[in-house]
Amino acid sequence: MPHLDRGLSRRLGLAAGGVVGLGAVLWVGGYALAGETAPRGTSVLGVPIGGLAADAARDKLTTGLQDRVSAPIRVTVGDGKFTVDPKDAGLSLDAAATVRAAGAARSWNPADIVRRFTGGDEVDPVVRTDAAKLASAVAGLAAKADKAPQDGAVTFDGKEPVTTEARPGVTLDQDAAPAALQEAYLRPGDHPLPAAVTEPAVDADEVQRALAEFVEPAVASPVTIVAAGERVRVPPGAVTQALSLTGGADGRLVPELDTDELAESLRPRLTGAEVPARNATFEIEGDRPRVVPARPGRQVDMTALAADLLDVLPEAASADRVVNASLEEAEPDLTTAEARKLGVKELVSEFTTYYPYAAYRVTNIGRAAELIDGTLLEPGEEFSLNGIVGERTLENGFAVGTIIRGGRFAEELGGGVSQVATTTFNAMFFAGLKDVQHKPHSFYISRYPEGREATVAWPTLDLKFLNDTSYGVFIQTVHDPGDSLTVRMFSTKHREVTASKSARYNYRGFSTVYDTSAGCVPQGGVSGFDVDVTRTITEKGKKTRKETFHTRYNPANQIYCRAEPAPPRASTTPAPSTSASPDAG
């Protein structure tokens, strides 16, 4: 191998050393000239910071992004749109770190020095993250955004089909969502978050198939039900009231009939074929209750009928839509043996109230008493006057009468039913049953026992009490039209009840009112007062309960349905005393 001339080698060594020396000079010089400024042309989310020293770049970046720092992060999960509060998610801008990452700091790295002079580019912000808060925010977002897939379905409004739209489900990817939220922070617009989509098992095509193949023929014509020799033509709406189509295992819609709703719809039409079961009850002979035995009945087997109907509903032709219904024995809810075990064997309480004749009272008291008569409360069962008597309407057998509204007499359907409430309350009181809800009249009516009376109004003001004994309680009402009402309770006598009443106290005077408005009802004035009634219940010789019923009666104004007269001249004749009209309740 030839050897280089020693002179040439020396000259090459000197040249290389010169290049290295020049590079070192340029490197040191570039470092000195570059300083701590951000590279020219550098920006962060559109905020230019190129050529600025670190402190200035940080201040400009903070000002430029101040509206975005706390702005809600707008995200989408599937089709849903949501916002995330960055503070709650533990996200914030680290402006100083962002400026350093952009290059606004001294660096001996030759690439950084060159970039400082040749120009920078768009730089991502540095985001501080509280991992625990971010995870919690993602979990909260998932709770709102996650949706199970919704299968298509068909229900009915009358005989009109109502479809439920098939909708895919969506589940937020809670592992990948934190990074996506960090990326979306400080950036405007809607940002999709990673999520899994689940398609519904029953899609829109299946809904259309079911409408064409089952629903349309199902509502096309009536169905004839043959039961016990009776032929009953049933319109489609009577069946579709109980019909729905929901998804099966294979993604197809399956028709179903709710047997309870089917029975509710069809039984009123099948009265010629069915014989209702009769519950055991009681009748009173003198003062002794006697069990009236239960009686089984017969009824259409609704489970079998539902299956047969589902077979014929797809057949649109009327002649093909005939179902032969099978019958089964209908068992009573309360059997004779069960009734005998209730211990309804003697009179345990009774109470009578009297009232002055008025045609509406005779009607309304009689009708409410008729509805309550024969009520049987099994142990643990609650009595509700409104629940038994129902709304006081003309259709329910009630008439317009006098009631109390806002401390004044007024006319309304059902006036007088409070006489029934008061009588029943007192029978309950002396039977020792548990008071659940009762409200005395707003002012005192003299024919009722003070502090021991109740008023009712549909639907909220009720008389309720509980049979808190181990025996049944049978209620009998005896109405003497235009004179009195008696409520009697029969059970097993095992409680003794005594009552005491305080003197009236806290008397309050009444005012005189002149009223010329239409519908005014005159009334006498009566003072208001407070009174306390105490009930003591003794069972097996031991005092089991002592209760005080406090009643505050408001004063009832004296009302004249005429214009106020001119002030009279001075007179020494005393004004006559007045008392409340007995016409209310």
Side-chain angles (χ1 to χ4, degrees):
M1 181 175 181
H3 295 278
L4 292 175
D5 180 82
R6 287 183 178 178
L8 178 59
S9 296
R10 182 179 180 186
R11 288 193 298 272
L12 289 173
L14 290 172
V19 169
V20 171
L22 178 61
V25 170
L26 291 173
W27 181 29
V28 173
Y31 172 82
L33 291 173
E36 297 183 354
T37 61
R40 288 183 303 157
T42 300
S43 63
V44 179
L45 296 180
V47 178
I49 60 172
L52 296 178
D55 290 346
R58 185 184 63 247
D59 293 343
K60 186 169 185 178
L61 183 60
T62 301
T63 301
L65 296 179
Q66 62 181 350
D67 292 337
R68 302 192 200 178
V69 167
S70 58
I73 308 169
R74 292 160 46 191
V75 298
T76 61
V77 182
D79 294 334
K81 293 187 176 184
F82 307 91
T83 58
V84 176
D85 186 329
K87 183 178 180 181
D88 292 343
L91 300 177
S92 59
L93 171 67
D94 190 335
T98 302
V99 167
R100 288 195 299 272
R106 287 192 177 276
S107 173
W108 287 102
N109 188 324
D112 290 341
I113 295 172
V114 171
R115 185 161 62 93
R116 196 73 52 83
F117 293 104
T118 59
D121 50 20
E122 179 70 20
V123 177
D124 289 333
V126 176
V127 177
R128 282 195 299 265
T129 303
D130 183 321
K133 284 187 174 182
L134 183 57
S136 177
V138 168
L141 179 60
K144 294 184 289 184
D146 287 1
K147 292 181 181 178
Q150 177 175 279
D151 288 343
V154 181
T155 55
F156 292 85
D157 181 5
K159 73 170 190 175
E160 296 299 319
V162 179
T163 60
T164 298
E165 182 182 359
R167 185 183 63 203
V170 63
T171 304
L172 178 66
D173 185 338
Q174 296 191 48
D175 293 328
L181 273 175
Q182 288 174 301
E183 180 66 21
Y185 177 50
L186 300 172
R187 291 175 169 84
D190 293 335
H191 302 273
L193 297 184
V197 176
T198 306
E199 294 300 325
V202 179
D203 58 21
D205 290 342
E206 173 58 15
V207 171
Q208 293 306 310
R209 181 206 64 79
L211 287 172
E213 296 181 9
F214 187 90
V215 174
E216 290 179 10
V219 300
S221 60
V223 175
T224 299
I225 298 175
V226 180
E230 298 282 335
R231 294 179 66 87
V232 180
R233 191 173 172 85
V234 177
V239 177
T240 56
Q241 174 179 317
L243 180 63
S244 62
L245 288 86
T246 54
D250 58 356
R252 288 173 67 87
L253 285 175
V254 177
E256 295 179 341
L257 280 167
D258 184 299
T259 53
D260 290 336
E261 291 190 17
L262 189 65
E264 181 181 347
S265 176
L266 296 187
R267 288 230 144 91
R269 303 171 185 272
L270 298 170
T271 53
E274 294 189 323
V275 177
R278 185 183 69 191
N279 289 334
T281 186
F282 297 87
E283 64 180 15
I284 308 302
E285 296 178 348
D287 288 340
R288 305 295 298 180
R290 182 183 70 84
V291 174
V292 178
R295 182 188 66 196
R298 74 176 184 206
Q299 63 186 14
V300 170
D301 183 341
M302 286 293 163
T303 301
L305 179 61
D308 293 340
L309 285 171
L310 291 175
D311 287 340
V312 303
L313 286 178
E315 305 297 331
S318 179
D320 297 332
R321 296 158 71 93
V322 178
V323 174
N324 291 300
S326 57
L327 298 172
E328 61 182 0
E329 187 173 278
E331 294 294 335
D333 293 331
L334 181 68
T335 67
T336 304
E338 290 169 339
R340 289 192 173 119
K341 292 179 181 178
L342 289 176
V344 177
K345 63 182 184 180
E346 59 191 326
L347 180 67
V348 297
S349 74
E350 67 178 321
F351 197 81
T352 300
T353 59
Y354 298 87
Y355 65 91
Y357 175 84
Y360 78 85
R361 286 199 188 98
V362 172
T363 297
N364 294 340
I365 293 172
R367 177 58 176 156
E370 174 190 12
L371 292 167
I372 293 172
D373 187 43
T375 297
L376 175 64
L377 299 178
E378 296 187 43
E381 192 171 359
E382 185 178 85
F383 175 95
S384 164
L385 187 143
N386 280 344
I388 294 171
V389 173
E391 185 174 2
R392 274 66 94 184
T393 63
L394 294 174
E395 295 76 12
N396 196 17
F398 291 91
V400 172
T402 304
I403 64 159
I404 296 174
R405 184 192 301 121
R408 296 182 59 165
F409 294 132
E411 299 296 315
E412 190 172 287
L413 278 162
V417 173
S418 290
Q419 183 96 25
V420 181
T422 290
T423 314
T424 305
F425 173 79
N426 277 273
M428 175 279 300
F429 182 96
F430 288 106
L433 303 180
K434 183 177 181 179
D435 176 45
V436 175
Q437 177 185 342
H438 87 280
K439 184 181 185 303
H441 286 82
S442 57
F443 57 79
Y444 178 58
I445 299 173
S446 59
R447 67 176 183 273
Y448 297 148
E450 58 190 61
R452 257 190 11 245
E453 46 94 3
T455 185
V456 289
W458 179 268
T460 54
L461 190 56
D462 202 359
L463 169 65
K464 295 181 179 181
F465 55 86
L466 181 71
N467 177 11
D468 60 339
T469 76
S470 302
Y471 307 98
V473 176
F474 183 75
I475 303 175
Q476 179 194 39
T477 63
V478 181
H479 180 218
D480 185 358
D483 181 69
S484 66
L485 173 69
T486 299
V487 176
R488 313 173 83 200
M489 295 192 176
F490 296 84
S491 185
T492 292
K493 186 75 171 177
H494 67 291
R495 290 176 176 174
E496 295 293 336
V497 177
T498 58
S500 62
K501 178 176 68 68
S502 72
R504 299 178 181 184
Y505 61 98
N506 287 343
Y507 276 94
R508 294 170 291 281
F510 61 86
S511 302
T512 299
V513 175
Y514 293 89
D515 187 356
T516 59
S517 64
C520 173
V521 177
Q523 68 185 43
V526 66
S527 297
F529 61 91
D530 289 10
V531 68
D532 297 319
V533 171
T534 300
R535 176 172 73 162
T536 302
I537 299 174
T538 302
E539 188 171 336
K540 296 180 180 178
K542 296 182 180 179
K543 187 183 297 181
T544 59
R545 191 159 71 233
K546 188 173 184 178
E547 305 164 299
T548 298
F549 299 82
H550 173 75
T551 303
R552 176 184 175 87
Y553 290 113
N554 297 323
N557 291 331
Q558 172 79 54
I559 297 178
Y560 296 103
C561 295
R562 64 175 187 268
E564 184 174 359
R569 295 182 178 180
S571 172
T572 58
T573 303
S577 63
T578 57
S579 61
S581 165
D583 293 339

